[in-house]
Amino acid sequence: MNETHFLNCRHNLLQLMEEGVAIITSAPAKIRSNDTEYSYRQNSDFYYLCGFNEDNSILVLIKTHEFTKTILFVEAYNEDHALWNGARLGVEGSRERFSVDEVYASAEYSGMIKELLREHVNLYIDLYCDSPRIIEAESAAQALHSMRGIKRYVRSIRDISYLIRSLRLIKSDEEIAIIRQAIAITAEAHHEAMRVCQSHMREYQLQAAMSYIFLNSGAVSEAYGAIVAGGNNANTLHYIDNRDELHEGDLVLIDAACEWELYASDITRTFPINGKFSDAQKEVYEKVLEVQLRVIDAIKPNVKRDWLQNYSEELLCDALIELGILVGERKALIEAKEHKKYAPHGIGHWMGLDVHDPCPYVDESGESLAFEAGMVMTIEPGLYFRADDESVPERYRGIGIRIEDNILVTEEGYENLSEMIVKTVNEIETMCQN
Ligand code: GLY
Ligand code: MN
Ligand code: MN
């Protein structure tokens, strides 16, 4: 990602802030077991503003009526760390790399924070983060409040993450290009899973075939724990065990995708393990697909997200009536939430630096947001019929189907960023038999 992108992001955030000081911290490194760590994943809000990928770093934005300033605190270069874990960029390296105004060693933060907050009335922090660096800033504000000679002190502690996440809602062209790259790799992985799938394989073997493509393409990580769910396992929405055998005649639902430069993709396909849909599977599949296509087709600027959710529920309810699973009038069924038993989750979510991008869904007054060009979301309708659910005709029991794509809102309407991933019954059967 280009340095100008991060400069723009910080500039936009400073525009949204009133005068004051904002403190955004990196994610902590996390122990996995004894003295070994999970692979490091940066805090998305922090990364969005500076693109720095090391732990123990702190970004400080200052805004007064006269000037704005950005300060980055980074862990100093350390020989021992370089030997065991690799070289850190360090203070000098960071000065050269980043277009921030000042860079200091993280060790200096504690000694500087009081001075940085002096005479400021607004302190912006992530209110829902318990980073010790944020607690230090709050303590510094408290100390300043009772210090002699101080004319103005912090009177308001405000949430910076809400402002950052409002900005994250609209993706820049560069962000979209990165998401496209994540999706391109994920597309290849889903196609490979369809090609290699056979009955008697284990779910984790399909996951491994996909992981190979993610890693071999240079993607550092899955964007979330992969779901590879054969047969009835698809009816456990967040099934991540992935250890069962795949059985002849069942479907497999795969919700798996990679992250590229910290940006997520999020794709689900459901296909027959033996490469050929049964009649019952095809009936349900085509209903879900029709709902998905119609919901995607309704996306354009100014359509409200809540409207799309309600529309998708109406379509799913109609599908359940047409399959003979629900009986009655759509309106009454929806009011009684009858459809929720078989279609329990929402139609989709924002996607970006986090797979479930924590951007607002409502405006300041609590009204559902309307779509704007640059927003990226998933559309992922599903129908789930548990094997032991006697309210469902026997032929549909044990079928769970979700189809998920990643959609960009454009000025004209939408672009399905993942449309290259096969999706119709014919396309899928052809890919499976390849
Ligand atoms: N992969 C999680 C989701 O689809 O929301
Ligand atoms: Mn999703
Ligand atoms: Mn998903």
Side-chain angles (χ1 to χ4, degrees):
M1 184 88 77
N2 194 307
E3 192 58 19
T4 322
H5 167 81
F6 298 112
L7 256 175
N8 284 340
C9 292
R10 293 198 296 272
H11 173 79
N12 294 339
L13 181 60
L14 282 158
Q15 295 280 63
L16 289 183
M17 282 170 56
E18 291 179 23
E19 288 181 22
V21 179
I23 295 175
I24 303 106
T25 56
S26 62
K30 291 201 179 82
I31 293 289
R32 179 175 180 277
S33 142
N34 185 18
D35 55 354
T36 59
E37 291 173 355
Y38 285 104
S39 55
Y40 185 69
R41 172 56 162 76
Q42 188 54 281
N43 168 11
S44 298
D45 284 340
F46 180 89
Y47 184 84
Y48 178 76
L49 295 171
C50 65
F52 191 43
N53 223 342
E54 290 187 20
D55 67 318
N56 205 9
S57 32
I58 310 140
L59 187 68
V60 179
L61 304 184
I62 301 174
K63 178 175 179 177
T64 74
H65 59 286
E66 289 167 328
F67 67 90
T68 64
K69 192 196 271 190
T70 306
I71 305 174
L72 184 61
F73 290 88
V74 305
E75 193 64 17
Y77 177 86
N78 170 302
E79 281 296 342
D80 204 43
H81 191 277
L83 172 64
W84 289 91
N85 304 94
R88 288 190 182 268
L89 193 55
V91 175
E92 282 311 318
S94 299
R95 272 190 195 128
E96 275 165 38
R97 168 87 66 86
F98 300 113
S99 54
V100 294
D101 299 306
E102 294 171 16
V103 180
Y104 300 98
S106 300
E108 295 188 60
Y109 173 82
S110 305
M112 287 173 67
I113 185 62
K114 215 193 272 178
E115 206 44 45
L116 291 173
L117 291 182
R118 202 183 177 95
E119 300 296 333
H120 286 287
V121 296
N122 289 309
L123 170 59
Y124 287 88
I125 56 173
D126 180 345
L127 281 178
Y128 303 98
C129 168
D130 59 359
S131 160
R133 300 312 205 167
I134 291 177
I135 295 167
E136 272 187 73
E138 289 172 307
S139 306
Q142 211 156 42
L144 281 166
H145 171 254
S146 35
M147 231 165 84
R148 207 171 288 133
I150 292 289
K151 294 191 273 307
R152 303 195 325 152
Y153 53 85
V154 171
R155 279 184 273 128
S156 151
I157 298 186
R158 312 171 69 155
D159 190 36
I160 192 69
S161 52
Y162 178 76
L163 299 183
I164 301 172
R165 291 162 186 196
S166 306
L167 294 170
R168 284 172 55 185
L169 194 49
I170 308 289
K171 273 70 182 172
S172 69
D173 291 345
E174 278 174 289
E175 289 178 289
I176 292 163
I178 292 172
I179 292 171
R180 281 185 201 281
Q181 179 64 14
I183 294 172
I185 298 166
T186 296
E188 204 192 317
H190 274 272
H191 290 157
E192 179 68 0
M194 289 176 196
R195 284 191 293 259
V196 302
C197 184
Q198 287 179 21
S199 49
H200 305 304
M201 279 174 84
R202 293 276 168 174
E203 292 162 339
Y204 55 75
Q205 292 179 294
L206 284 187
Q207 184 181 1
M210 298 180 81
S211 292
Y212 175 81
I213 288 177
F214 296 159
L215 293 174
N216 194 47
S217 309
V220 173
S221 173
E222 291 176 336
Y224 51 91
I227 297 169
V228 182
N232 190 49
N233 290 339
N235 296 312
T236 302
L237 296 179
H238 282 175
Y239 175 84
I240 48 167
D241 203 36
N242 302 350
R243 302 208 68 78
D244 278 352
E245 188 175 321
L246 298 171
H247 298 296
E248 170 70 26
D250 280 350
L251 296 173
V252 60
L253 179 156
I254 302 186
D255 184 347
C258 74
E259 185 174 284
W260 184 258
E261 287 190 30
L262 279 78
Y263 281 79
S265 49
D266 183 6
I267 302 292
T268 309
R269 288 293 184 264
T270 310
F271 59 90
I273 288 164
N274 66 12
K276 192 104 189 96
F277 284 91
S278 71
D279 289 343
Q281 289 165 350
K282 198 186 300 186
E283 286 159 28
V284 182
Y285 188 89
E286 295 206 304
K287 290 289 176 213
V288 178
L289 181 57
E290 190 191 330
V291 171
Q292 204 228 18
L293 293 174
R294 287 177 68 181
V295 172
I296 292 173
D297 224 35
I299 294 173
K300 58 180 181 207
N302 298 322
V303 167
K304 289 205 167 155
R305 203 246 167 212
D306 271 5
W307 180 88
L308 199 75
Q309 175 63 37
N310 293 337
Y311 180 55
S312 73
E313 290 187 34
E314 287 173 7
L315 296 177
L316 284 165
C317 188
D318 288 347
L320 288 162
I321 295 169
E322 285 154 20
L323 290 168
I325 291 164
L326 291 182
V327 180
E329 286 282 344
R330 176 219 272 170
K331 193 163 176 284
L333 290 167
I334 287 187
E335 265 169 27
K337 299 193 183 344
E338 296 282 343
H339 62 302
K340 288 281 189 190
K341 180 173 175 195
Y342 312 104
H345 59 73
I347 190 59
H349 48 83
W350 306 131
M351 191 190 84
L353 276 168
D354 294 296
V355 63
H356 297 160
D357 232 17
C359 309
Y361 285 92
V362 292
D363 64 19
E364 293 283 355
S365 59
E367 278 289 306
S368 175
L369 279 188
F371 296 134
E372 286 174 51
M375 294 177 172
V376 175
M377 81 196 93
T378 67
I379 295 295
E380 50 179 308
L383 288 176
Y384 307 90
F385 306 132
R386 293 168 53 109
D388 61 358
D389 186 348
E390 293 181 3
S391 70
V392 168
E394 210 172 335
R395 58 202 309 263
Y396 296 143
R397 287 182 209 162
I399 293 180
I401 292 173
R402 177 164 67 254
I403 308 172
E404 176 173 27
D405 281 301
N406 303 153
I407 312 297
L408 167 69
V409 184
T410 63
E411 300 290 350
E412 300 73 37
Y414 70 89
E415 180 186 345
N416 181 350
L417 299 174
S418 47
E419 76 173 338
M420 74 295 259
I421 309 179
V422 298
K423 189 158 75 167
T424 66
V425 164
N426 274 340
E427 286 168 350
I428 286 179
E429 289 186 345
T430 307
M431 185 64 74
C432 287
Q433 283 150 24
N434 242 328

